Amino acid sequence: MSVRADAIGVDEPELLGLGVADDGSAEVPQDYDRVGRFDNGATQDRSGATVLLGHVDSRSGPAVFYRLRDLRAGDVIEVGLSDGTSARYAVARTEQVAKDRFPTFAVFGASADDVLRLVTCAGEFDRGARSYTDNLVVHAARV
Amino acid sequence: MRRIAPRLAFLTAATVAFTAVSVGTALAQDTEVDEPGSFTSMFTAMATPDMVIGTDNQPAPGQPGATGTFNYRINSDQEVICYDLTLQGVQGDYKSPAKTATHIHEAQPGMAGPPRIAFPNPAGDGDTRTSSGCLQGPFTTGVMANGQDSGTGFSLKEIEADPSAFFGDTHTADFTAGAVRGQLTEVPMGGVETGAGATGAGDTGATVALGAAGLLAAAGVGAVAVRRNRARS
């Protein structure tokens, strides 16, 4: 699978496969310049939700989803599927959420509709926790 | 095999449950409880009509066009499951030999299996029906199998050990095998760690950067810790 969002200069020819880490949190790409897709492992998945995770920055500078914050309603994101076809999504809305009140099912939950959700970090960088306080979630719908 | 020990342990409870059912008393052992302060795991299921399987393990018709979005949060230490169930387009009355018609069953995809938990049926006007709350075990379904309730001995830790071996569904008078059905899949808990701080506001000095690097270097895609509350078989 691949993802392309011209509005923010993202063009990733191959997505990493991500799952649930042993501590129950979401696995994230080890490479700051790669985008990962959450794979729930289902053999026959009827959910229409595609969830992509990417870093906002690395230790030294901006990372692949640094400009996610610049996506605006209507911006087009194209996802290349494993069967060679592609699906176009239009941004519907962006929300910034505190990690300690993360809307798990609004991001990772099943969806009857064909939707795309992109996630990166936002907010303040908490030095003690070595973690951003918030996540930025972009919701897009199939067009 | 892992169910043998719990079944023996709950023999007394099963006898009590059987007696209660046999005299026609609608006793619910499952207790509606407040939401716990934390959860050990979370699961979602996309339930659709094409996944419905009859008791003969053959595909059975579900309700065309209907969907169910089933979200579950589990605290397996307390045997509490919180549920947020949404049905779209499910019509008509519920019907099931169990005490409710909305369940988690134990079975692989494409197979039938017994209910382990019975949830209050989703309700609402129009096209959307919802049901939310938290139940605490021991669980009962009202379905008798092998002389005991099919929820007897069931532990939420079994879902955590193998979520794909369980599915959510709801049964109606028109679609008794199920209007919609979907296998459980695990979802991550908490926020997503997608930043190492180089561009973050505030003090993002070398100490911070080193810490974030260590966090991410632990495994192929960032798995870092051993889950403690997991009973993997």
Side-chain angles (χ1 to χ4, degrees), chain A residues 1-6 15 37 48-50 52 75-91 113-118 140-143:
Chain A
M1 291 180 67
S2 63
V3 64
R4 190 171 137 186
D6 289 342
L15 303 179
R37 170 182 167 269
T50 299
L52 304 183
D75 284 347
V76 171
I77 304 166
E78 196 167 308
V79 175
L81 307 175
S82 48
D83 64 3
T85 65
S86 65
R88 285 163 62 87
Y89 297 84
V91 172
D113 300 321
D114 190 346
V115 296
L116 177 67
R117 301 155 179 167
L118 305 109
R142 184 76 181 264
V143 289

PDB file of all heavy atoms in Angstrom, chain A residues 1-6 15 37 48-50 52 75-91 113-118 140-143:
ATOM      1  N   MET A   1       0.841  -1.200   0.000  1.00  0.00           N
ATOM      2  CA  MET A   1       0.000   0.000   0.000  1.00  0.00           C
ATOM      3  C   MET A   1       0.876   1.248   0.000  1.00  0.00           C
ATOM      4  O   MET A   1       2.034   1.208   0.392  1.00  0.00           O
ATOM      5  CB  MET A   1      -0.903   0.007   1.239  1.00  0.00           C
ATOM      6  CG  MET A   1      -1.976  -1.081   1.213  1.00  0.00           C
ATOM      7  SD  MET A   1      -3.025  -1.046   2.671  1.00  0.00           S
ATOM      8  CE  MET A   1      -3.901   0.497   2.460  1.00  0.00           C
ATOM      9  N   SER A   2       0.289   2.359  -0.456  1.00  0.00           N
ATOM     10  CA  SER A   2       1.030   3.619  -0.524  1.00  0.00           C
ATOM     11  C   SER A   2       0.100   4.759  -0.116  1.00  0.00           C
ATOM     12  O   SER A   2      -1.122   4.574  -0.014  1.00  0.00           O
ATOM     13  CB  SER A   2       1.545   3.856  -1.945  1.00  0.00           C
ATOM     14  OG  SER A   2       0.450   3.982  -2.841  1.00  0.00           O
ATOM     15  N   VAL A   3       0.685   5.920   0.136  1.00  0.00           N
ATOM     16  CA  VAL A   3      -0.140   7.094   0.443  1.00  0.00           C
ATOM     17  C   VAL A   3       0.493   8.322  -0.190  1.00  0.00           C
ATOM     18  O   VAL A   3       1.715   8.458  -0.228  1.00  0.00           O
ATOM     19  CB  VAL A   3      -0.335   7.288   1.963  1.00  0.00           C
ATOM     20  CG1 VAL A   3       0.996   7.571   2.665  1.00  0.00           C
ATOM     21  CG2 VAL A   3      -1.326   8.423   2.246  1.00  0.00           C
ATOM     22  N   ARG A   4      -0.377   9.187  -0.709  1.00  0.00           N
ATOM     23  CA  ARG A   4       0.099  10.419  -1.330  1.00  0.00           C
ATOM     24  C   ARG A   4      -0.833  11.558  -0.954  1.00  0.00           C
ATOM     25  O   ARG A   4      -2.060  11.444  -1.106  1.00  0.00           O
ATOM     26  CB  ARG A   4       0.125  10.239  -2.846  1.00  0.00           C
ATOM     27  CG  ARG A   4       0.833  11.362  -3.554  1.00  0.00           C
ATOM     28  CD  ARG A   4       1.015  11.000  -5.021  1.00  0.00           C
ATOM     29  NE  ARG A   4       0.701  12.147  -5.853  1.00  0.00           N
ATOM     30  CZ  ARG A   4       0.657  12.113  -7.180  1.00  0.00           C
ATOM     31  NH1 ARG A   4       0.891  10.980  -7.811  1.00  0.00           N
ATOM     32  NH2 ARG A   4       0.391  13.193  -7.867  1.00  0.00           N
ATOM     33  N   ALA A   5      -0.254  12.618  -0.426  1.00  0.00           N
ATOM     34  CA  ALA A   5      -1.022  13.821  -0.086  1.00  0.00           C
ATOM     35  C   ALA A   5      -0.232  15.012  -0.611  1.00  0.00           C
ATOM     36  O   ALA A   5       0.669  15.529   0.055  1.00  0.00           O
ATOM     37  CB  ALA A   5      -1.235  13.919   1.422  1.00  0.00           C
ATOM     38  N   ASP A   6      -0.574  15.443  -1.803  1.00  0.00           N
ATOM     39  CA  ASP A   6       0.189  16.498  -2.469  1.00  0.00           C
ATOM     40  C   ASP A   6       0.180  17.803  -1.672  1.00  0.00           C
ATOM     41  O   ASP A   6       1.159  18.548  -1.679  1.00  0.00           O
ATOM     42  CB  ASP A   6      -0.377  16.748  -3.870  1.00  0.00           C
ATOM     43  CG  ASP A   6      -0.083  15.590  -4.819  1.00  0.00           C
ATOM     44  OD1 ASP A   6       0.826  14.789  -4.502  1.00  0.00           O
ATOM     45  OD2 ASP A   6      -0.758  15.475  -5.858  1.00  0.00           O
ATOM     46  N   LEU A  15       3.898   1.357   2.671  1.00  0.00           N
ATOM     47  CA  LEU A  15       3.538   1.569   4.068  1.00  0.00           C
ATOM     48  C   LEU A  15       4.044   0.428   4.943  1.00  0.00           C
ATOM     49  O   LEU A  15       4.021  -0.731   4.530  1.00  0.00           O
ATOM     50  CB  LEU A  15       2.018   1.680   4.215  1.00  0.00           C
ATOM     51  CG  LEU A  15       1.341   2.781   3.395  1.00  0.00           C
ATOM     52  CD1 LEU A  15      -0.165   2.760   3.633  1.00  0.00           C
ATOM     53  CD2 LEU A  15       1.912   4.152   3.764  1.00  0.00           C
ATOM     54  N   ARG A  37       0.757   1.665   8.551  1.00  0.00           N
ATOM     55  CA  ARG A  37      -0.687   1.422   8.553  1.00  0.00           C
ATOM     56  C   ARG A  37      -1.022   0.443   9.666  1.00  0.00           C
ATOM     57  O   ARG A  37      -0.397  -0.621   9.767  1.00  0.00           O
ATOM     58  CB  ARG A  37      -1.127   0.850   7.203  1.00  0.00           C
ATOM     59  CG  ARG A  37      -2.552   0.335   7.178  1.00  0.00           C
ATOM     60  CD  ARG A  37      -2.896  -0.263   5.825  1.00  0.00           C
ATOM     61  NE  ARG A  37      -4.138  -1.024   5.894  1.00  0.00           N
ATOM     62  CZ  ARG A  37      -4.211  -2.328   6.164  1.00  0.00           C
ATOM     63  NH1 ARG A  37      -3.107  -3.014   6.344  1.00  0.00           N
ATOM     64  NH2 ARG A  37      -5.375  -2.939   6.215  1.00  0.00           N
ATOM     65  N   GLY A  48     -14.317  -0.407   7.235  1.00  0.00           N
ATOM     66  CA  GLY A  48     -13.869   0.464   6.161  1.00  0.00           C
ATOM     67  C   GLY A  48     -12.836   1.473   6.599  1.00  0.00           C
ATOM     68  O   GLY A  48     -12.499   2.390   5.848  1.00  0.00           O
ATOM     69  N   ALA A  49     -12.319   1.342   7.806  1.00  0.00           N
ATOM     70  CA  ALA A  49     -11.381   2.324   8.343  1.00  0.00           C
ATOM     71  C   ALA A  49      -9.937   1.956   7.999  1.00  0.00           C
ATOM     72  O   ALA A  49      -9.512   0.827   8.220  1.00  0.00           O
ATOM     73  CB  ALA A  49     -11.546   2.425   9.855  1.00  0.00           C
ATOM     74  N   THR A  50      -9.205   2.918   7.442  1.00  0.00           N
ATOM     75  CA  THR A  50      -7.766   2.788   7.244  1.00  0.00           C
ATOM     76  C   THR A  50      -7.091   3.804   8.156  1.00  0.00           C
ATOM     77  O   THR A  50      -7.446   4.981   8.150  1.00  0.00           O
ATOM     78  CB  THR A  50      -7.386   3.068   5.782  1.00  0.00           C
ATOM     79  OG1 THR A  50      -8.042   2.119   4.943  1.00  0.00           O
ATOM     80  CG2 THR A  50      -5.877   2.973   5.586  1.00  0.00           C
ATOM     81  N   LEU A  52      -3.480   5.472   9.415  1.00  0.00           N
ATOM     82  CA  LEU A  52      -2.070   5.657   9.098  1.00  0.00           C
ATOM     83  C   LEU A  52      -1.392   6.476  10.197  1.00  0.00           C
ATOM     84  O   LEU A  52      -1.923   7.494  10.638  1.00  0.00           O
ATOM     85  CB  LEU A  52      -1.915   6.377   7.754  1.00  0.00           C
ATOM     86  CG  LEU A  52      -2.602   5.728   6.544  1.00  0.00           C
ATOM     87  CD1 LEU A  52      -2.283   6.521   5.276  1.00  0.00           C
ATOM     88  CD2 LEU A  52      -2.184   4.274   6.384  1.00  0.00           C
ATOM     89  N   ASP A  75      -8.890  18.807   1.120  1.00  0.00           N
ATOM     90  CA  ASP A  75      -7.620  18.325   0.563  1.00  0.00           C
ATOM     91  C   ASP A  75      -7.727  16.826   0.261  1.00  0.00           C
ATOM     92  O   ASP A  75      -8.316  16.062   1.036  1.00  0.00           O
ATOM     93  CB  ASP A  75      -6.467  18.555   1.545  1.00  0.00           C
ATOM     94  CG  ASP A  75      -6.028  20.010   1.577  1.00  0.00           C
ATOM     95  OD1 ASP A  75      -6.433  20.782   0.680  1.00  0.00           O
ATOM     96  OD2 ASP A  75      -5.290  20.379   2.510  1.00  0.00           O
ATOM     97  N   VAL A  76      -7.123  16.435  -0.849  1.00  0.00           N
ATOM     98  CA  VAL A  76      -7.255  15.043  -1.297  1.00  0.00           C
ATOM     99  C   VAL A  76      -6.046  14.209  -0.855  1.00  0.00           C
ATOM    100  O   VAL A  76      -4.901  14.660  -0.947  1.00  0.00           O
ATOM    101  CB  VAL A  76      -7.406  14.976  -2.827  1.00  0.00           C
ATOM    102  CG1 VAL A  76      -7.319  13.528  -3.325  1.00  0.00           C
ATOM    103  CG2 VAL A  76      -8.735  15.597  -3.249  1.00  0.00           C
ATOM    104  N   ILE A  77      -6.330  13.020  -0.357  1.00  0.00           N
ATOM    105  CA  ILE A  77      -5.296  12.048   0.000  1.00  0.00           C
ATOM    106  C   ILE A  77      -5.583  10.775  -0.792  1.00  0.00           C
ATOM    107  O   ILE A  77      -6.724  10.292  -0.804  1.00  0.00           O
ATOM    108  CB  ILE A  77      -5.313  11.740   1.511  1.00  0.00           C
ATOM    109  CG1 ILE A  77      -5.154  13.037   2.311  1.00  0.00           C
ATOM    110  CG2 ILE A  77      -4.211  10.745   1.865  1.00  0.00           C
ATOM    111  CD1 ILE A  77      -5.501  12.891   3.782  1.00  0.00           C
ATOM    112  N   GLU A  78      -4.549  10.267  -1.454  1.00  0.00           N
ATOM    113  CA  GLU A  78      -4.734   9.078  -2.281  1.00  0.00           C
ATOM    114  C   GLU A  78      -4.018   7.897  -1.644  1.00  0.00           C
ATOM    115  O   GLU A  78      -2.834   7.981  -1.315  1.00  0.00           O
ATOM    116  CB  GLU A  78      -4.180   9.351  -3.676  1.00  0.00           C
ATOM    117  CG  GLU A  78      -4.646   8.364  -4.721  1.00  0.00           C
ATOM    118  CD  GLU A  78      -4.330   8.862  -6.136  1.00  0.00           C
ATOM    119  OE1 GLU A  78      -4.689  10.003  -6.459  1.00  0.00           O
ATOM    120  OE2 GLU A  78      -3.688   8.108  -6.876  1.00  0.00           O
ATOM    121  N   VAL A  79      -4.743   6.809  -1.463  1.00  0.00           N
ATOM    122  CA  VAL A  79      -4.162   5.596  -0.876  1.00  0.00           C
ATOM    123  C   VAL A  79      -4.104   4.514  -1.955  1.00  0.00           C
ATOM    124  O   VAL A  79      -5.136   4.168  -2.550  1.00  0.00           O
ATOM    125  CB  VAL A  79      -4.992   5.105   0.323  1.00  0.00           C
ATOM    126  CG1 VAL A  79      -4.454   3.774   0.840  1.00  0.00           C
ATOM    127  CG2 VAL A  79      -4.982   6.148   1.434  1.00  0.00           C
ATOM    128  N   GLY A  80      -2.896   4.028  -2.201  1.00  0.00           N
ATOM    129  CA  GLY A  80      -2.735   2.938  -3.157  1.00  0.00           C
ATOM    130  C   GLY A  80      -2.975   1.611  -2.458  1.00  0.00           C
ATOM    131  O   GLY A  80      -2.409   1.342  -1.394  1.00  0.00           O
ATOM    132  N   LEU A  81      -3.830   0.775  -3.028  1.00  0.00           N
ATOM    133  CA  LEU A  81      -4.202  -0.479  -2.379  1.00  0.00           C
ATOM    134  C   LEU A  81      -3.349  -1.627  -2.898  1.00  0.00           C
ATOM    135  O   LEU A  81      -2.712  -1.531  -3.946  1.00  0.00           O
ATOM    136  CB  LEU A  81      -5.688  -0.758  -2.624  1.00  0.00           C
ATOM    137  CG  LEU A  81      -6.618   0.393  -2.228  1.00  0.00           C
ATOM    138  CD1 LEU A  81      -8.053   0.085  -2.627  1.00  0.00           C
ATOM    139  CD2 LEU A  81      -6.510   0.670  -0.736  1.00  0.00           C
ATOM    140  N   SER A  82      -3.372  -2.722  -2.145  1.00  0.00           N
ATOM    141  CA  SER A  82      -2.513  -3.856  -2.478  1.00  0.00           C
ATOM    142  C   SER A  82      -2.907  -4.506  -3.801  1.00  0.00           C
ATOM    143  O   SER A  82      -2.100  -5.194  -4.428  1.00  0.00           O
ATOM    144  CB  SER A  82      -2.543  -4.881  -1.340  1.00  0.00           C
ATOM    145  OG  SER A  82      -3.872  -5.150  -0.955  1.00  0.00           O
ATOM    146  N   ASP A  83      -4.147  -4.290  -4.250  1.00  0.00           N
ATOM    147  CA  ASP A  83      -4.559  -4.894  -5.522  1.00  0.00           C
ATOM    148  C   ASP A  83      -4.217  -4.013  -6.723  1.00  0.00           C
ATOM    149  O   ASP A  83      -4.624  -4.305  -7.850  1.00  0.00           O
ATOM    150  CB  ASP A  83      -6.063  -5.201  -5.501  1.00  0.00           C
ATOM    151  CG  ASP A  83      -6.911  -3.953  -5.377  1.00  0.00           C
ATOM    152  OD1 ASP A  83      -6.336  -2.830  -5.363  1.00  0.00           O
ATOM    153  OD2 ASP A  83      -8.148  -4.078  -5.298  1.00  0.00           O
ATOM    154  N   GLY A  84      -3.478  -2.920  -6.480  1.00  0.00           N
ATOM    155  CA  GLY A  84      -3.043  -2.076  -7.577  1.00  0.00           C
ATOM    156  C   GLY A  84      -3.951  -0.891  -7.860  1.00  0.00           C
ATOM    157  O   GLY A  84      -3.574   0.030  -8.573  1.00  0.00           O
ATOM    158  N   THR A  85      -5.158  -0.921  -7.301  1.00  0.00           N
ATOM    159  CA  THR A  85      -6.052   0.213  -7.473  1.00  0.00           C
ATOM    160  C   THR A  85      -5.740   1.267  -6.415  1.00  0.00           C
ATOM    161  O   THR A  85      -4.914   1.047  -5.524  1.00  0.00           O
ATOM    162  CB  THR A  85      -7.526  -0.216  -7.339  1.00  0.00           C
ATOM    163  OG1 THR A  85      -7.743  -0.674  -5.989  1.00  0.00           O
ATOM    164  CG2 THR A  85      -7.855  -1.332  -8.310  1.00  0.00           C
ATOM    165  N   SER A  86      -6.395   2.409  -6.530  1.00  0.00           N
ATOM    166  CA  SER A  86      -6.192   3.437  -5.518  1.00  0.00           C
ATOM    167  C   SER A  86      -7.534   4.021  -5.093  1.00  0.00           C
ATOM    168  O   SER A  86      -8.522   3.939  -5.824  1.00  0.00           O
ATOM    169  CB  SER A  86      -5.271   4.540  -6.038  1.00  0.00           C
ATOM    170  OG  SER A  86      -5.895   5.213  -7.107  1.00  0.00           O
ATOM    171  N   ALA A  87      -7.551   4.567  -3.891  1.00  0.00           N
ATOM    172  CA  ALA A  87      -8.764   5.158  -3.331  1.00  0.00           C
ATOM    173  C   ALA A  87      -8.465   6.603  -2.954  1.00  0.00           C
ATOM    174  O   ALA A  87      -7.429   6.895  -2.358  1.00  0.00           O
ATOM    175  CB  ALA A  87      -9.215   4.371  -2.094  1.00  0.00           C
ATOM    176  N   ARG A  88      -9.389   7.509  -3.318  1.00  0.00           N
ATOM    177  CA  ARG A  88      -9.201   8.923  -3.014  1.00  0.00           C
ATOM    178  C   ARG A  88     -10.086   9.321  -1.840  1.00  0.00           C
ATOM    179  O   ARG A  88     -11.269   8.985  -1.787  1.00  0.00           O
ATOM    180  CB  ARG A  88      -9.551   9.768  -4.234  1.00  0.00           C
ATOM    181  CG  ARG A  88      -8.493   9.718  -5.334  1.00  0.00           C
ATOM    182  CD  ARG A  88      -9.039  10.214  -6.653  1.00  0.00           C
ATOM    183  NE  ARG A  88      -9.476  11.604  -6.601  1.00  0.00           N
ATOM    184  CZ  ARG A  88      -8.655  12.651  -6.809  1.00  0.00           C
ATOM    185  NH1 ARG A  88      -7.384  12.447  -7.062  1.00  0.00           N
ATOM    186  NH2 ARG A  88      -9.108  13.887  -6.759  1.00  0.00           N
ATOM    187  N   TYR A  89      -9.474  10.053  -0.933  1.00  0.00           N
ATOM    188  CA  TYR A  89     -10.189  10.527   0.257  1.00  0.00           C
ATOM    189  C   TYR A  89     -10.082  12.042   0.323  1.00  0.00           C
ATOM    190  O   TYR A  89      -9.063  12.616  -0.096  1.00  0.00           O
ATOM    191  CB  TYR A  89      -9.592   9.921   1.524  1.00  0.00           C
ATOM    192  CG  TYR A  89      -9.700   8.416   1.594  1.00  0.00           C
ATOM    193  CD1 TYR A  89      -8.755   7.606   0.972  1.00  0.00           C
ATOM    194  CD2 TYR A  89     -10.755   7.812   2.271  1.00  0.00           C
ATOM    195  CE1 TYR A  89      -8.850   6.223   1.022  1.00  0.00           C
ATOM    196  CE2 TYR A  89     -10.861   6.428   2.330  1.00  0.00           C
ATOM    197  CZ  TYR A  89      -9.910   5.638   1.700  1.00  0.00           C
ATOM    198  OH  TYR A  89     -10.017   4.273   1.758  1.00  0.00           O
ATOM    199  N   ALA A  90     -11.106  12.686   0.867  1.00  0.00           N
ATOM    200  CA  ALA A  90     -11.074  14.127   1.078  1.00  0.00           C
ATOM    201  C   ALA A  90     -11.098  14.410   2.576  1.00  0.00           C
ATOM    202  O   ALA A  90     -11.897  13.814   3.325  1.00  0.00           O
ATOM    203  CB  ALA A  90     -12.275  14.795   0.411  1.00  0.00           C
ATOM    204  N   VAL A  91     -10.229  15.311   3.000  1.00  0.00           N
ATOM    205  CA  VAL A  91     -10.170  15.653   4.422  1.00  0.00           C
ATOM    206  C   VAL A  91     -11.507  16.250   4.862  1.00  0.00           C
ATOM    207  O   VAL A  91     -12.047  17.145   4.194  1.00  0.00           O
ATOM    208  CB  VAL A  91      -9.037  16.653   4.692  1.00  0.00           C
ATOM    209  CG1 VAL A  91      -9.087  17.157   6.134  1.00  0.00           C
ATOM    210  CG2 VAL A  91      -7.688  16.003   4.399  1.00  0.00           C
ATOM    211  N   ASP A 113     -18.336   2.896   7.174  1.00  0.00           N
ATOM    212  CA  ASP A 113     -18.016   3.751   6.024  1.00  0.00           C
ATOM    213  C   ASP A 113     -16.533   3.630   5.674  1.00  0.00           C
ATOM    214  O   ASP A 113     -15.706   3.305   6.522  1.00  0.00           O
ATOM    215  CB  ASP A 113     -18.362   5.207   6.338  1.00  0.00           C
ATOM    216  CG  ASP A 113     -19.829   5.383   6.661  1.00  0.00           C
ATOM    217  OD1 ASP A 113     -20.657   4.723   6.005  1.00  0.00           O
ATOM    218  OD2 ASP A 113     -20.148   6.149   7.595  1.00  0.00           O
ATOM    219  N   ASP A 114     -16.222   3.936   4.417  1.00  0.00           N
ATOM    220  CA  ASP A 114     -14.837   3.903   3.932  1.00  0.00           C
ATOM    221  C   ASP A 114     -14.174   5.219   4.337  1.00  0.00           C
ATOM    222  O   ASP A 114     -14.426   6.265   3.734  1.00  0.00           O
ATOM    223  CB  ASP A 114     -14.841   3.730   2.412  1.00  0.00           C
ATOM    224  CG  ASP A 114     -13.451   3.456   1.856  1.00  0.00           C
ATOM    225  OD1 ASP A 114     -12.464   3.659   2.581  1.00  0.00           O
ATOM    226  OD2 ASP A 114     -13.366   3.053   0.682  1.00  0.00           O
ATOM    227  N   VAL A 115     -13.387   5.178   5.374  1.00  0.00           N
ATOM    228  CA  VAL A 115     -12.777   6.395   5.922  1.00  0.00           C
ATOM    229  C   VAL A 115     -11.279   6.203   6.120  1.00  0.00           C
ATOM    230  O   VAL A 115     -10.782   5.074   6.222  1.00  0.00           O
ATOM    231  CB  VAL A 115     -13.417   6.804   7.279  1.00  0.00           C
ATOM    232  CG1 VAL A 115     -14.889   7.155   7.092  1.00  0.00           C
ATOM    233  CG2 VAL A 115     -13.241   5.712   8.316  1.00  0.00           C
ATOM    234  N   LEU A 116     -10.568   7.329   6.154  1.00  0.00           N
ATOM    235  CA  LEU A 116      -9.125   7.344   6.360  1.00  0.00           C
ATOM    236  C   LEU A 116      -8.831   8.221   7.571  1.00  0.00           C
ATOM    237  O   LEU A 116      -9.389   9.315   7.703  1.00  0.00           O
ATOM    238  CB  LEU A 116      -8.434   7.909   5.115  1.00  0.00           C
ATOM    239  CG  LEU A 116      -6.915   8.082   5.157  1.00  0.00           C
ATOM    240  CD1 LEU A 116      -6.214   6.729   5.212  1.00  0.00           C
ATOM    241  CD2 LEU A 116      -6.446   8.878   3.931  1.00  0.00           C
ATOM    242  N   ARG A 117      -7.977   7.728   8.456  1.00  0.00           N
ATOM    243  CA  ARG A 117      -7.607   8.490   9.651  1.00  0.00           C
ATOM    244  C   ARG A 117      -6.085   8.546   9.720  1.00  0.00           C
ATOM    245  O   ARG A 117      -5.423   7.509   9.645  1.00  0.00           O
ATOM    246  CB  ARG A 117      -8.181   7.828  10.903  1.00  0.00           C
ATOM    247  CG  ARG A 117      -9.708   7.710  10.897  1.00  0.00           C
ATOM    248  CD  ARG A 117     -10.185   6.573  11.765  1.00  0.00           C
ATOM    249  NE  ARG A 117     -11.642   6.450  11.799  1.00  0.00           N
ATOM    250  CZ  ARG A 117     -12.282   5.394  12.274  1.00  0.00           C
ATOM    251  NH1 ARG A 117     -11.582   4.366  12.757  1.00  0.00           N
ATOM    252  NH2 ARG A 117     -13.594   5.346  12.268  1.00  0.00           N
ATOM    253  N   LEU A 118      -5.544   9.764   9.828  1.00  0.00           N
ATOM    254  CA  LEU A 118      -4.098   9.949   9.905  1.00  0.00           C
ATOM    255  C   LEU A 118      -3.743  10.530  11.260  1.00  0.00           C
ATOM    256  O   LEU A 118      -4.414  11.445  11.746  1.00  0.00           O
ATOM    257  CB  LEU A 118      -3.628  10.877   8.784  1.00  0.00           C
ATOM    258  CG  LEU A 118      -4.029  10.452   7.371  1.00  0.00           C
ATOM    259  CD1 LEU A 118      -5.081  11.402   6.833  1.00  0.00           C
ATOM    260  CD2 LEU A 118      -2.847  10.415   6.447  1.00  0.00           C
ATOM    261  N   ALA A 140     -10.645  11.722   7.121  1.00  0.00           N
ATOM    262  CA  ALA A 140     -10.973  11.916   5.710  1.00  0.00           C
ATOM    263  C   ALA A 140     -11.963  10.839   5.272  1.00  0.00           C
ATOM    264  O   ALA A 140     -11.997   9.742   5.837  1.00  0.00           O
ATOM    265  CB  ALA A 140      -9.711  11.843   4.857  1.00  0.00           C
ATOM    266  N   ALA A 141     -12.784  11.162   4.284  1.00  0.00           N
ATOM    267  CA  ALA A 141     -13.805  10.235   3.805  1.00  0.00           C
ATOM    268  C   ALA A 141     -13.615   9.970   2.323  1.00  0.00           C
ATOM    269  O   ALA A 141     -13.145  10.835   1.574  1.00  0.00           O
ATOM    270  CB  ALA A 141     -15.201  10.794   4.060  1.00  0.00           C
ATOM    271  N   ARG A 142     -13.978   8.790   1.877  1.00  0.00           N
ATOM    272  CA  ARG A 142     -13.826   8.371   0.488  1.00  0.00           C
ATOM    273  C   ARG A 142     -14.621   9.289  -0.441  1.00  0.00           C
ATOM    274  O   ARG A 142     -15.772   9.632  -0.136  1.00  0.00           O
ATOM    275  CB  ARG A 142     -14.316   6.916   0.351  1.00  0.00           C
ATOM    276  CG  ARG A 142     -14.136   6.302  -1.007  1.00  0.00           C
ATOM    277  CD  ARG A 142     -12.702   5.915  -1.236  1.00  0.00           C
ATOM    278  NE  ARG A 142     -12.510   5.335  -2.568  1.00  0.00           N
ATOM    279  CZ  ARG A 142     -12.502   4.039  -2.811  1.00  0.00           C
ATOM    280  NH1 ARG A 142     -12.689   3.175  -1.835  1.00  0.00           N
ATOM    281  NH2 ARG A 142     -12.318   3.584  -4.039  1.00  0.00           N
ATOM    282  N   VAL A 143     -13.995   9.650  -1.538  1.00  0.00           N
ATOM    283  CA  VAL A 143     -14.714  10.468  -2.524  1.00  0.00           C
ATOM    284  C   VAL A 143     -14.771   9.713  -3.852  1.00  0.00           C
ATOM    285  O   VAL A 143     -14.044   8.742  -4.049  1.00  0.00           O
ATOM    286  CB  VAL A 143     -14.038  11.834  -2.747  1.00  0.00           C
ATOM    287  CG1 VAL A 143     -14.240  12.687  -1.511  1.00  0.00           C
ATOM    288  CG2 VAL A 143     -12.558  11.691  -3.080  1.00  0.00           C
TER     289      VAL A 143
END
